[in-house]
Amino acid sequence: MNLENLKIVDREVAAEIEKEFDRQQNNIELIASENITSKAVMEACGSVLTNKYAEGKPHKRFYNGCEHIDVIEEIAQKRACELFHMDHANVQPHSGAQANMAVFMYCLKPGDKVLGMDLSNGGHLSHGSPVNFSGLYFDVKSYGIDENGNIDYENVRQMALEHKPKLIICGASNYSKIIDFKKFKEIADEVGAYLMADIAHIAGLVAAGLHPSPAPYADFVTTTTHKSLRGPRGGIVMCKEEHAQGIDKAIFPGIQGGPLEHIIAGKAVALLEASKPEFKEYAAQIIKNAKALAQGLMDEGMDIVGGMTENHLMTLDLRRTGKTGKDMANVLEKVGITANKNTVPNDPQSPFVTSGIRLGTPAVTTRGFKEEDMVEVAKIIASAIFSSDNELGLQNLKERSLKLCKKYPIYGDK
Ligand code: DSN
């Protein structure tokens, strides 16, 4: 990590970046939406492109001097379309929420009906939460998951028939099963709704062909680029050709100003990396590691919502232990494991306390963790939760986490 100039100009910020690097280096990252991007992506994001204004789209800009920016943005668009088999890609969304907002802006009017997944059941804020623009300005009905952790497609269909939404959203922030995009399309067609698939979490698995693609079915596919796709923080919105102009207009001038061209360059690099055979191996290992972690936790007597995971994440259900997600996420932090509290279906606790912890494997898989390491991680997690008051025991567990981190340094730095 080269902070040569920063250390001279701003020692305070440089020092915190160094501490953050150490934190990432010495902790096991199990937040399902995080990853460790490549040095190549970081170089693109830290480049002179940050200096350039480029409102508009390639060859139709409001500023001059965009000849190189145009080439880079078109490369990113082309790679996104090829990787996800979509007609059109706008790579300017600053985040996944902005990508979703663009779809709302393009195909809905305030007050229109939307059917999306409930936030506390695994959906996303921007899928219609009452505290988000999507729930404030639109009439949202939400479906959830059943006790077994599955989407009840017949229930989704009945809700669609009853409410006749203009837009149906599938895709989740916390769902451990394969999503049946074809079924969603059949439901959308039955009620004449648009279908949006938000693949933010599973984008890397979809790119690798290890999760079914929504491309044949969805009118709009949105994603972030920094989760299992392993790129820079940002979003992409893709669509069928017939919606291309409208989606572009929704992004600019609809909801955003100047695009972050340095991040767009990082997205282009990440999309190239995701098209390589090594990425397919990486994505396959993410799933193998998630299954090994889930099995390891169940072997230690812990409950997982819906049992065995089918993708990169799972939710530990702590209800039987009598402990809360909030407390246990803090205990895991003490033993060098970073994760987030999460609600479980029919959670008796508030969303701020919760009875669950979400765990995911994209980041540790990037470090090089394999199945046997995930079994050790499962043992550390279970011991920490079952003996959360034993401070000496927790210290020993932290040593075990550190040993794994030392075995797999990030960016190869020891
Ligand atoms: N905050 C992301 C996640 O953790 O899943 C979703 O935006």
Side-chain angles (χ1 to χ4, degrees):
M1 203 181 33
N2 184 1
L3 301 179
E4 198 185 326
N5 294 290
L6 186 60
K7 279 184 183 168
I8 297 167
V9 174
D10 190 336
R11 293 162 69 101
E12 254 179 301
V13 168
E16 293 306 319
I17 294 176
E18 283 188 326
K19 283 187 219 162
E20 171 61 13
F21 177 77
D22 287 346
R23 188 195 68 79
Q24 292 185 19
Q25 183 71 283
N26 296 319
N27 286 277
I28 296 174
E29 184 56 72
L30 292 182
I31 292 178
S33 49
E34 293 190 10
N35 211 327
I36 302 160
T37 199
S38 71
K39 283 184 174 172
V41 166
M42 283 203 289
E43 281 173 16
C45 293
S47 68
V48 293
L49 301 183
T50 196
N51 297 333
K52 191 72 197 96
Y53 245 122
E55 277 170 337
K57 48 189 192 177
H59 312 295
K60 276 194 182 166
R61 305 282 190 185
F62 287 78
Y63 295 87
N64 283 59
C66 291
E67 57 270 36
H68 308 298
I69 295 289
D70 283 352
V71 175
I72 292 167
E73 191 166 330
E74 280 180 329
I75 290 172
Q77 289 170 337
K78 185 166 171 284
R79 288 179 184 165
C81 288
E82 281 172 7
L83 196 62
F84 293 106
H85 308 288
M86 293 296 289
D87 297 341
H88 178 73
N90 186 310
V91 294
Q92 294 187 359
H94 300 332
S95 70
Q98 308 286 174
N100 291 347
M101 196 178 203
V103 173
F104 276 63
M105 171 122 188
Y106 165 63
C107 68
L108 302 175
K109 298 234 173 331
D112 276 351
K113 285 202 176 121
V114 176
L115 180 61
M117 195 169 189
D118 179 54
L119 177 64
S120 63
N121 276 246
H124 188 257
L125 270 173
S126 60
H127 295 183
S129 162
V131 294
N132 184 261
F133 84 93
S134 54
L136 282 171
Y137 298 119
F138 301 92
D139 181 5
V140 179
K141 308 292 170 199
S142 302
Y143 58 88
I145 52 173
D146 62 23
E147 267 296 325
N148 299 319
N150 295 309
I151 293 169
D152 177 347
Y153 291 91
E154 187 46 36
N155 173 252
V156 176
R157 179 171 171 265
Q158 290 305 332
M159 288 187 77
L161 288 170
E162 183 186 342
H163 300 293
K164 300 268 182 310
K166 199 161 171 195
L167 174 70
I168 297 180
I169 304 174
C170 55
S173 286
N174 189 21
Y175 186 63
S176 65
K177 306 291 174 174
I178 299 289
I179 298 172
D180 192 335
F181 295 118
K182 185 165 178 279
K183 265 202 188 123
F184 271 107
K185 170 68 172 161
E186 285 162 8
I187 297 168
D189 280 350
E190 204 176 343
V191 298
Y194 287 117
L195 181 64
M196 174 179 116
D198 179 344
I199 61 167
H201 262 264
I202 53 172
L205 310 183
V206 172
L210 299 173
H211 186 291
S213 165
Y217 311 112
D219 298 286
F220 314 100
V221 176
T222 60
T223 186
T224 53
T225 43
H226 49 272
K227 298 186 175 92
S228 57
L229 196 57
R230 206 164 60 181
R233 307 197 71 75
I236 299 179
V237 53
M238 295 170 277
C239 60
K240 294 182 178 167
E241 190 54 45
E242 67 210 80
H243 306 302
Q245 231 189 339
I247 284 292
D248 287 349
K249 274 194 184 152
I251 288 289
F252 177 84
I255 61 165
Q256 288 190 176
L260 309 177
E261 293 296 342
H262 53 307
I263 301 298
I264 288 174
K267 289 174 190 173
V269 176
L271 290 162
L272 177 68
E273 290 174 349
S275 69
K276 305 273 185 204
E278 308 87 88
F279 191 87
K280 282 197 172 54
E281 280 172 36
Y282 160 65
Q285 191 63 47
I286 292 178
I287 300 173
K288 284 187 210 162
N289 281 352
K291 286 183 186 292
L293 178 60
Q295 191 57 56
L297 289 164
M298 290 189 282
D299 290 347
E300 294 295 317
M302 310 226 65
D303 297 332
I304 307 279
V305 174
M308 181 48 77
T309 175
E310 295 175 352
N311 56 23
H312 64 299
L313 63 70
M314 68 213 69
T315 306
L316 258 182
D317 183 344
L318 298 168
R319 281 176 295 186
R320 249 177 357 105
T321 67
K323 305 192 176 181
T324 67
K326 180 169 176 261
D327 289 345
M328 291 308 104
N330 290 337
V331 165
L332 290 186
E333 195 163 1
K334 280 191 185 173
V335 302
I337 291 178
T338 318
N340 61 283
K341 64 186 171 198
N342 219 106
T343 47
V344 298
N346 305 317
D347 204 319
Q349 302 286 353
S350 75
F352 193 70
V353 176
T354 81
S355 301
I357 294 183
R358 187 183 66 165
L359 304 169
T361 54
V364 287
T365 306
T366 296
R367 289 185 87 141
F369 281 45
K370 295 285 185 306
E371 289 93 316
E372 63 271 20
D373 304 306
M374 299 320 298
V375 173
E376 168 70 349
V377 172
K379 287 187 172 144
I380 297 171
I381 292 173
S383 303
I385 290 174
F386 287 132
S387 320
S388 54
D389 295 329
N390 176 353
E391 286 298 330
L392 192 61
L394 295 182
Q395 263 179 37
N396 288 336
L397 293 173
K398 190 175 171 121
E399 287 303 315
R400 281 164 66 180
S401 292
L402 203 53
K403 205 167 152 200
L404 282 170
C405 292
K406 296 241 176 294
K407 188 170 162 195
Y408 302 109
I410 63 172
Y411 301 114
D413 293 315
K414 306 254 172 199

